[in-house]
Amino acid sequence: MRYIIIGAGAIGGTVGGRLAEAGHEVVLVARGTHFEALRTKGLRLTTAEGTSTHLLPVVDRPDALELRPDDVLFLAVKTQDCTAALEDWAAQPVAGGGTAGELLPLVCAQNGVESERLALRRFRRVYGMCVYLPATYLEPGSVSATCAPMTGILHLGRYPSGTDETALRISADLEKSRLLAPVVPDVMRWKYAKLTNNVANAVEAATGVIGDEDGVRLAKRATAEARSVLAAAGIEVVSEAEQKDFRGDKIRFDPLDGSKRGGGSSWQSLNRGTGTIEADYLNGEIALVGRVYGVPTPVNDALQRVANSFAREGRAAGSMSVAELTAIVDAEAAE
């Protein structure tokens, strides 16, 4: 199988680089300065073993590549960019007849739970992936993921549920590439669990803080509210104990130079000045479910609003104090 990595940033670049290291055929898809860097200098991937450069095929649009029946589309753009990417790729012809949407498997590797639903409108074979892979898009052409002994854990399954031979083959390729990829029949149960943790991304993005006492307290309020809303909706979620038990000692953060890990995906979006952030599909997902089931979500409402204002106004990541953000959340909760 050939892997087409649509969105070769932190996650896509790491997965693509690891697959290539294990001898699998990989094509990267990127845009702008990242595309130019990948095209001219290759992908510079830093892992726990060191830094390596991979000279891989790279394209900046679907029609620059002839799709094959053995291709796997690995969608690694942020959820807010999924609709455009799905529209671009679904209608692309596949050698021998048919289109990508009709024939090719599409793996959704986003935070949140919306991308699979968006994909299923256009693709017949959709796979969900719960991504636990701390990675950083450092600069055009360079990504870093220094966890060990496995680089990441990628639960994989058919959407909305089930498993099949394709999932097993993808899993086998990933596991040869230092990426643990258990195939599960209930992948969305894992993705909803990660969602309840990812709602805290807005705290880190706005304040730059997640580890001090006040930051942890605010993050826990967001997570507790998310779990309460999902429980009210009857949505099954993997417990924190089950997640921790599965990870065990399979993955730990091993910085090569003793430095702290960079910020998460939302913090990175603000830090790069992309103008967008995934809060609508993290905090906003909890707000949506809460409104459908009549459960107030003041913490996530406030965090969504603040995160979006940071992206829209170009505010620097980490430029708000935890105290200020907590006050905004408290004011929302008091209304």
PDB file of all heavy atoms in Angstrom, residues 138-158:
ATOM      1  N   LEU A 138       7.942  22.288  13.776  1.00  0.00           N
ATOM      2  CA  LEU A 138       8.930  23.251  14.232  1.00  0.00           C
ATOM      3  C   LEU A 138       9.043  24.447  13.300  1.00  0.00           C
ATOM      4  O   LEU A 138       9.020  25.595  13.726  1.00  0.00           O
ATOM      5  CB  LEU A 138      10.291  22.575  14.369  1.00  0.00           C
ATOM      6  CG  LEU A 138      10.357  21.392  15.371  1.00  0.00           C
ATOM      7  CD1 LEU A 138      11.684  20.671  15.229  1.00  0.00           C
ATOM      8  CD2 LEU A 138      10.171  21.904  16.783  1.00  0.00           C
ATOM      9  N   GLU A 139       9.205  24.169  12.021  1.00  0.00           N
ATOM     10  CA  GLU A 139       9.390  25.186  10.992  1.00  0.00           C
ATOM     11  C   GLU A 139       9.172  24.492   9.657  1.00  0.00           C
ATOM     12  O   GLU A 139       9.095  23.255   9.614  1.00  0.00           O
ATOM     13  CB  GLU A 139      10.803  25.775  11.062  1.00  0.00           C
ATOM     14  CG  GLU A 139      11.894  24.753  10.871  1.00  0.00           C
ATOM     15  CD  GLU A 139      13.288  25.320  11.078  1.00  0.00           C
ATOM     16  OE1 GLU A 139      13.435  26.348  11.739  1.00  0.00           O
ATOM     17  OE2 GLU A 139      14.242  24.705  10.552  1.00  0.00           O
ATOM     18  N   PRO A 140       9.020  25.233   8.564  1.00  0.00           N
ATOM     19  CA  PRO A 140       8.804  24.569   7.275  1.00  0.00           C
ATOM     20  C   PRO A 140       9.838  23.472   7.011  1.00  0.00           C
ATOM     21  O   PRO A 140      11.039  23.699   7.106  1.00  0.00           O
ATOM     22  CB  PRO A 140       8.935  25.720   6.276  1.00  0.00           C
ATOM     23  CG  PRO A 140       8.457  26.915   7.038  1.00  0.00           C
ATOM     24  CD  PRO A 140       8.966  26.710   8.438  1.00  0.00           C
ATOM     25  N   GLY A 141       9.327  22.273   6.754  1.00  0.00           N
ATOM     26  CA  GLY A 141      10.189  21.135   6.457  1.00  0.00           C
ATOM     27  C   GLY A 141      10.615  20.321   7.651  1.00  0.00           C
ATOM     28  O   GLY A 141      11.224  19.257   7.480  1.00  0.00           O
ATOM     29  N   SER A 142      10.299  20.772   8.886  1.00  0.00           N
ATOM     30  CA  SER A 142      10.805  20.096  10.080  1.00  0.00           C
ATOM     31  C   SER A 142       9.696  19.795  11.084  1.00  0.00           C
ATOM     32  O   SER A 142       8.898  20.684  11.409  1.00  0.00           O
ATOM     33  CB  SER A 142      11.863  20.964  10.771  1.00  0.00           C
ATOM     34  OG  SER A 142      12.976  21.188   9.928  1.00  0.00           O
ATOM     35  N   VAL A 143       9.669  18.564  11.571  1.00  0.00           N
ATOM     36  CA  VAL A 143       8.745  18.181  12.631  1.00  0.00           C
ATOM     37  C   VAL A 143       9.502  17.363  13.675  1.00  0.00           C
ATOM     38  O   VAL A 143      10.556  16.783  13.394  1.00  0.00           O
ATOM     39  CB  VAL A 143       7.539  17.366  12.103  1.00  0.00           C
ATOM     40  CG1 VAL A 143       6.720  18.179  11.121  1.00  0.00           C
ATOM     41  CG2 VAL A 143       7.991  16.064  11.464  1.00  0.00           C
ATOM     42  N   SER A 144       8.948  17.336  14.886  1.00  0.00           N
ATOM     43  CA  SER A 144       9.599  16.634  15.988  1.00  0.00           C
ATOM     44  C   SER A 144       8.582  15.818  16.762  1.00  0.00           C
ATOM     45  O   SER A 144       7.488  16.291  17.052  1.00  0.00           O
ATOM     46  CB  SER A 144      10.264  17.648  16.930  1.00  0.00           C
ATOM     47  OG  SER A 144      10.771  17.010  18.090  1.00  0.00           O
ATOM     48  N   ALA A 145       8.951  14.573  17.094  1.00  0.00           N
ATOM     49  CA  ALA A 145       8.113  13.696  17.913  1.00  0.00           C
ATOM     50  C   ALA A 145       9.049  12.765  18.665  1.00  0.00           C
ATOM     51  O   ALA A 145       9.515  11.765  18.125  1.00  0.00           O
ATOM     52  CB  ALA A 145       7.146  12.895  17.045  1.00  0.00           C
ATOM     53  N   THR A 146       9.333  13.091  19.921  1.00  0.00           N
ATOM     54  CA  THR A 146      10.421  12.408  20.622  1.00  0.00           C
ATOM     55  C   THR A 146       9.961  11.468  21.729  1.00  0.00           C
ATOM     56  O   THR A 146      10.686  11.237  22.691  1.00  0.00           O
ATOM     57  CB  THR A 146      11.408  13.443  21.192  1.00  0.00           C
ATOM     58  OG1 THR A 146      10.718  14.329  22.075  1.00  0.00           O
ATOM     59  CG2 THR A 146      12.054  14.246  20.087  1.00  0.00           C
ATOM     60  N   CYS A 147       8.741  10.924  21.605  1.00  0.00           N
ATOM     61  CA  CYS A 147       8.309   9.941  22.586  1.00  0.00           C
ATOM     62  C   CYS A 147       8.984   8.590  22.336  1.00  0.00           C
ATOM     63  O   CYS A 147       9.388   8.270  21.221  1.00  0.00           O
ATOM     64  CB  CYS A 147       6.794   9.771  22.549  1.00  0.00           C
ATOM     65  SG  CYS A 147       5.920  11.152  23.320  1.00  0.00           S
ATOM     66  N   ALA A 148       9.078   7.778  23.376  1.00  0.00           N
ATOM     67  CA  ALA A 148       9.714   6.469  23.300  1.00  0.00           C
ATOM     68  C   ALA A 148       9.065   5.562  24.352  1.00  0.00           C
ATOM     69  O   ALA A 148       8.459   6.049  25.305  1.00  0.00           O
ATOM     70  CB  ALA A 148      11.218   6.601  23.550  1.00  0.00           C
ATOM     71  N   PRO A 149       9.177   4.240  24.234  1.00  0.00           N
ATOM     72  CA  PRO A 149       9.817   3.501  23.135  1.00  0.00           C
ATOM     73  C   PRO A 149       9.013   3.524  21.838  1.00  0.00           C
ATOM     74  O   PRO A 149       9.569   3.330  20.771  1.00  0.00           O
ATOM     75  CB  PRO A 149       9.910   2.072  23.691  1.00  0.00           C
ATOM     76  CG  PRO A 149       8.779   1.986  24.654  1.00  0.00           C
ATOM     77  CD  PRO A 149       8.680   3.334  25.290  1.00  0.00           C
ATOM     78  N   MET A 150       7.686   3.768  21.919  1.00  0.00           N
ATOM     79  CA  MET A 150       6.894   3.967  20.711  1.00  0.00           C
ATOM     80  C   MET A 150       6.733   5.463  20.480  1.00  0.00           C
ATOM     81  O   MET A 150       6.608   6.237  21.425  1.00  0.00           O
ATOM     82  CB  MET A 150       5.523   3.299  20.833  1.00  0.00           C
ATOM     83  CG  MET A 150       5.568   1.814  21.169  1.00  0.00           C
ATOM     84  SD  MET A 150       6.425   0.824  19.901  1.00  0.00           S
ATOM     85  CE  MET A 150       5.220   0.845  18.572  1.00  0.00           C
ATOM     86  N   THR A 151       6.740   5.873  19.226  1.00  0.00           N
ATOM     87  CA  THR A 151       6.593   7.286  18.906  1.00  0.00           C
ATOM     88  C   THR A 151       5.180   7.779  19.190  1.00  0.00           C
ATOM     89  O   THR A 151       4.973   8.952  19.530  1.00  0.00           O
ATOM     90  CB  THR A 151       6.955   7.538  17.433  1.00  0.00           C
ATOM     91  OG1 THR A 151       8.301   7.103  17.212  1.00  0.00           O
ATOM     92  CG2 THR A 151       6.842   9.004  17.066  1.00  0.00           C
ATOM     93  N   GLY A 152       4.199   6.906  19.058  1.00  0.00           N
ATOM     94  CA  GLY A 152       2.817   7.299  19.303  1.00  0.00           C
ATOM     95  C   GLY A 152       1.908   6.096  19.364  1.00  0.00           C
ATOM     96  O   GLY A 152       2.311   4.970  19.042  1.00  0.00           O
ATOM     97  N   ILE A 153       0.668   6.339  19.798  1.00  0.00           N
ATOM     98  CA  ILE A 153      -0.367   5.303  19.856  1.00  0.00           C
ATOM     99  C   ILE A 153      -1.542   5.784  19.019  1.00  0.00           C
ATOM    100  O   ILE A 153      -2.066   6.883  19.245  1.00  0.00           O
ATOM    101  CB  ILE A 153      -0.813   5.010  21.296  1.00  0.00           C
ATOM    102  CG1 ILE A 153       0.384   4.550  22.139  1.00  0.00           C
ATOM    103  CG2 ILE A 153      -1.913   3.957  21.313  1.00  0.00           C
ATOM    104  CD1 ILE A 153       0.051   4.332  23.609  1.00  0.00           C
ATOM    105  N   LEU A 154      -1.955   4.962  18.053  1.00  0.00           N
ATOM    106  CA  LEU A 154      -2.960   5.358  17.073  1.00  0.00           C
ATOM    107  C   LEU A 154      -4.054   4.294  17.005  1.00  0.00           C
ATOM    108  O   LEU A 154      -4.011   3.393  16.166  1.00  0.00           O
ATOM    109  CB  LEU A 154      -2.310   5.537  15.696  1.00  0.00           C
ATOM    110  CG  LEU A 154      -1.049   6.412  15.633  1.00  0.00           C
ATOM    111  CD1 LEU A 154      -0.409   6.332  14.250  1.00  0.00           C
ATOM    112  CD2 LEU A 154      -1.376   7.861  15.975  1.00  0.00           C
ATOM    113  N   HIS A 155      -5.049   4.382  17.890  1.00  0.00           N
ATOM    114  CA  HIS A 155      -6.172   3.446  17.816  1.00  0.00           C
ATOM    115  C   HIS A 155      -6.895   3.646  16.484  1.00  0.00           C
ATOM    116  O   HIS A 155      -7.167   4.777  16.080  1.00  0.00           O
ATOM    117  CB  HIS A 155      -7.139   3.673  18.975  1.00  0.00           C
ATOM    118  CG  HIS A 155      -6.653   3.145  20.285  1.00  0.00           C
ATOM    119  ND1 HIS A 155      -5.754   3.829  21.063  1.00  0.00           N
ATOM    120  CD2 HIS A 155      -6.945   1.990  20.950  1.00  0.00           C
ATOM    121  CE1 HIS A 155      -5.500   3.127  22.165  1.00  0.00           C
ATOM    122  NE2 HIS A 155      -6.205   2.017  22.115  1.00  0.00           N
ATOM    123  N   LEU A 156      -7.249   2.544  15.837  1.00  0.00           N
ATOM    124  CA  LEU A 156      -7.769   2.593  14.475  1.00  0.00           C
ATOM    125  C   LEU A 156      -8.968   1.677  14.320  1.00  0.00           C
ATOM    126  O   LEU A 156      -8.986   0.566  14.858  1.00  0.00           O
ATOM    127  CB  LEU A 156      -6.654   2.156  13.507  1.00  0.00           C
ATOM    128  CG  LEU A 156      -6.995   1.987  12.032  1.00  0.00           C
ATOM    129  CD1 LEU A 156      -7.313   3.335  11.394  1.00  0.00           C
ATOM    130  CD2 LEU A 156      -5.835   1.314  11.304  1.00  0.00           C
ATOM    131  N   GLY A 157      -9.982   2.120  13.585  1.00  0.00           N
ATOM    132  CA  GLY A 157     -11.142   1.275  13.313  1.00  0.00           C
ATOM    133  C   GLY A 157     -12.029   1.878  12.245  1.00  0.00           C
ATOM    134  O   GLY A 157     -11.913   3.062  11.911  1.00  0.00           O
ATOM    135  N   ARG A 158     -12.926   1.071  11.694  1.00  0.00           N
ATOM    136  CA  ARG A 158     -13.884   1.579  10.722  1.00  0.00           C
ATOM    137  C   ARG A 158     -14.813   2.581  11.385  1.00  0.00           C
ATOM    138  O   ARG A 158     -15.095   2.499  12.578  1.00  0.00           O
ATOM    139  CB  ARG A 158     -14.723   0.432  10.136  1.00  0.00           C
ATOM    140  CG  ARG A 158     -14.040  -0.419   9.085  1.00  0.00           C
ATOM    141  CD  ARG A 158     -13.698   0.329   7.820  1.00  0.00           C
ATOM    142  NE  ARG A 158     -14.850   0.832   7.075  1.00  0.00           N
ATOM    143  CZ  ARG A 158     -15.357   0.233   5.996  1.00  0.00           C
ATOM    144  NH1 ARG A 158     -14.845  -0.916   5.554  1.00  0.00           N
ATOM    145  NH2 ARG A 158     -16.379   0.767   5.361  1.00  0.00           N
TER     146      ARG A 158
END
